Amino acid sequence: MSANESLKNALFTEEFTQNPYPVYEKLRQSEPILNLKFPDGRYGWLITRYDEAVAALKEGRFIKDITKAYGAEHTSVFSTNMLFADPPDHKRLRGLVQKGFTPQRIADMRSHIQDIADTLLHEASAKDTINLIDEYAFKLPIIVISEILGVPTEDQDKFRVWSNSIIGASNRETSEEVAQHMHEFIAYLKDWFAKVRENPGDDMISQLVMAEDQGDRLSEQELYGVVTLMIIAGHETTVNLIGNGVLALLEYPEQRKLLQEQPELIHGAIEEMLRYNGPVEFSTSRWAAEDMEFHGVQMKKGDLVVVSLNSANRDAGPFEHPDLFDITREKSQHLAFGRGIHLCLGAPLARLEGEIAINTLLRRYPHFELQAGVDELRWRPGMIVRGVEEIPLALHPES
């Protein structure tokens, strides 16, 4: 078996999911644009080195709209949004949502997000041990994005179940359970949109639905896609930013101590958390729009292209000592939120939520401890997010 065949076999295994970085390092050195079979059965190219990753994320000859590559029968009800669109549709769809994520609007949310963090950690104080993911890292961003969108409080937990199913389906055939969750989600959205049409509010969903009702730019299919993207992307990135960030601080106690002593370092700390073990493992799919050469590799029209964002962020070319976690690292051009026209729209909100969540945890419970071995934590399977399912923490509030 060749070295590269051995590396292909190491990809997407349970061991790889636990710690993909040794495999990534070998791939960056031996074959940074690798042709392979992905877990869902599709063949395509995996890009692992930083320079090629940046070029791929900005390459106009790679398209995001699957219907252009394989026809409309391959699309899904959730994929008609700006993340899976090409110009000019991309600009139109992104523009609809961008109004809700202006820098000023996000800055105005700081005190409210702080109140949410304080409330959640106060509720946790009655327990000796908490699951950081379920009781804090998930709850904070889902509350925030739900309030922006207008999701009723009592329905927020449903969105986690549906979101996990949609993301989990990214690396396997759709199971009966996943199909059922998708059906429930569509039915919920259809009912929700109908209620909004009768009684619109000042939330973002009301604005989008009413714009569509007034003959503006959203079709029914686009409405499903845009709302789904905002619900999933609006909390999944932050859940794993908080979880992975806390794990990095536990792994590097001297960095944790430094941040506790100098909480103003939180901006750089968040950027390093995003780089070191980012919340989004892989980019969403792209396809070659034509036969082409890309960085010395011959690609055929319709070829699938996926970028490993986390591998690019561990490349020793742009990042000195990339496998070390250093919150004082010089500002880095990491790819955690992508690059080019598909740069994550919610990145400023995720950063703000991460800053508040982690600094508040450090301030209120400075002696928290992990109640498991790091190697015992189970990382979520899938081809999109990177995060653990649980983080059991002893808070030690009286220490």
Side-chain angles (χ1 to χ4, degrees):
M1 181 184 296
S2 69
N4 279 352
E5 285 301 316
S6 177
L7 286 174
K8 287 182 182 181
N9 290 337
L11 286 164
F12 313 121
T13 62
E14 187 173 340
E15 293 76 16
F16 174 83
T17 300
Q18 287 293 113
N19 181 16
Y21 296 106
V23 175
Y24 283 149
E25 182 177 8
K26 292 175 182 176
L27 282 175
R28 289 194 300 269
Q29 294 172 1
S30 65
E31 196 166 353
I33 306 178
L34 180 70
N35 189 248
L36 78 162
K37 183 179 181 181
F38 286 97
D40 63 2
R42 296 181 297 172
Y43 285 88
W45 302 93
L46 177 65
I47 298 176
T48 55
R49 197 159 59 192
Y50 184 87
D51 287 346
E52 289 87 339
V54 172
L57 294 172
K58 298 170 73 172
E59 176 57 71
R61 294 175 298 171
F62 292 153
I63 56 177
K64 299 296 296 291
D65 185 349
I66 190 173
T67 65
K68 295 179 181 176
Y70 295 108
E73 67 273 13
H74 291 272
T75 191
S76 93
V77 70
F78 304 121
S79 62
T80 311
N81 58 59
M82 60 272 197
L83 188 59
F84 301 103
D86 301 308
D89 285 338
H90 171 267
K91 183 177 181 180
R92 174 175 62 85
L93 294 169
R94 188 178 176 101
L96 279 168
V97 180
Q98 201 155 12
K99 300 170 186 176
F101 293 92
T102 63
Q104 185 58 53
R105 178 167 290 192
I106 291 171
D108 290 344
M109 298 176 67
R110 176 178 288 275
S111 62
H112 182 52
I113 295 172
Q114 183 65 65
D115 289 342
I116 295 171
D118 289 335
T119 299
L120 292 174
L121 290 179
H122 177 72
E123 292 172 353
S125 65
K127 304 177 182 180
D128 294 328
T129 302
I130 67 167
N131 174 4
L132 184 80
I133 298 298
D134 282 351
E135 298 177 63
Y136 189 52
F138 165 72
K139 284 189 175 181
L140 186 148
I142 197 66
I143 290 171
V144 172
I145 195 62
S146 294
E147 290 180 353
I148 291 173
L149 297 177
V151 178
T153 303
E154 63 271 18
D155 293 336
Q156 291 172 7
D157 283 340
K158 296 178 185 176
F159 283 92
R160 186 179 193 191
V161 174
W162 294 330
S163 173
N164 284 343
S165 279
I166 294 170
I167 287 177
S170 65
N171 73 328
R172 62 177 186 268
E173 293 297 323
T174 301
S175 68
E176 188 174 325
E177 181 184 32
V178 171
Q180 176 62 29
H181 287 159
M182 291 182 175
H183 176 75
E184 292 171 0
F185 189 30
I186 293 169
Y188 179 93
L189 291 179
K190 186 173 291 187
D191 182 61
W192 184 13
F193 297 157
K195 291 177 181 177
V196 166
R197 289 187 179 101
E198 292 180 5
N199 187 26
D202 58 1
D203 54 83
M204 184 178 292
I205 298 305
S206 294
Q207 295 171 13
L208 292 173
V209 169
M210 297 314 291
E212 185 252 346
D213 257 0
Q214 295 161 17
D216 204 345
R217 301 169 294 176
L218 272 181
S219 68
E220 186 78 10
Q221 191 84 355
E222 289 170 338
L223 192 56
Y224 283 121
V226 169
V227 172
T228 302
L229 176 63
M230 288 193 292
I231 290 170
I232 295 177
H235 79 276
E236 281 287 355
T237 300
T238 308
V239 171
N240 299 308
L241 167 56
I242 296 169
N244 296 359
V246 168
L247 288 179
L249 293 175
L250 288 164
E251 182 183 359
Y252 288 84
E254 77 286 354
Q255 296 292 300
R256 173 181 172 178
K257 184 173 184 291
L258 178 61
L259 185 55
Q260 286 174 315
E261 293 172 348
Q262 301 182 55
E264 67 274 11
L265 295 177
I266 188 62
H267 306 296
I270 291 297
E271 298 309 306
E272 181 66 347
M273 292 167 186
L274 289 164
R275 184 203 68 81
Y276 179 73
N277 200 7
V280 181
E281 180 93 11
F282 298 100
S283 71
T284 47
S285 300
R286 288 162 166 76
W287 292 270
E290 59 191 51
D291 291 349
M292 58 186 285
E293 179 180 325
F294 178 78
H295 281 249
V297 173
Q298 296 296 325
M299 296 184 178
K300 297 285 189 181
K301 180 179 180 180
D303 276 3
L304 170 67
V305 179
V306 174
V307 174
S308 172
L309 304 173
N310 280 357
S311 175
N313 286 337
R314 291 285 190 104
D315 191 334
F319 306 109
E320 187 176 4
H321 305 301
D323 292 323
L324 294 179
F325 177 71
D326 179 7
I327 66 171
T328 64
R329 186 182 294 273
E330 292 284 328
K331 182 176 174 61
S332 65
Q333 298 297 315
H334 64 72
L335 303 181
F337 291 120
R339 190 65 65 84
I341 66 171
H342 293 284
L343 182 72
C344 178
L345 186 63
L349 178 60
R351 285 184 166 104
L352 179 60
E353 291 172 328
E355 290 174 11
I356 292 172
I358 289 174
N359 258 3
T360 306
L361 178 66
L362 289 171
R363 183 179 71 252
R364 296 204 45 161
Y365 302 109
H367 305 290
F368 66 78
E369 288 184 300
L370 183 64
Q371 297 297 285
V374 173
D375 58 350
E376 297 175 48
L377 302 177
R378 178 175 170 78
W379 291 84
R380 295 170 60 185
M383 277 287 295
I384 301 179
V385 301
R386 176 159 179 79
V388 290
E389 294 178 350
E390 296 183 355
I391 300 179
L393 282 188
L395 296 177
H396 300 309
E398 306 303 326
S399 298

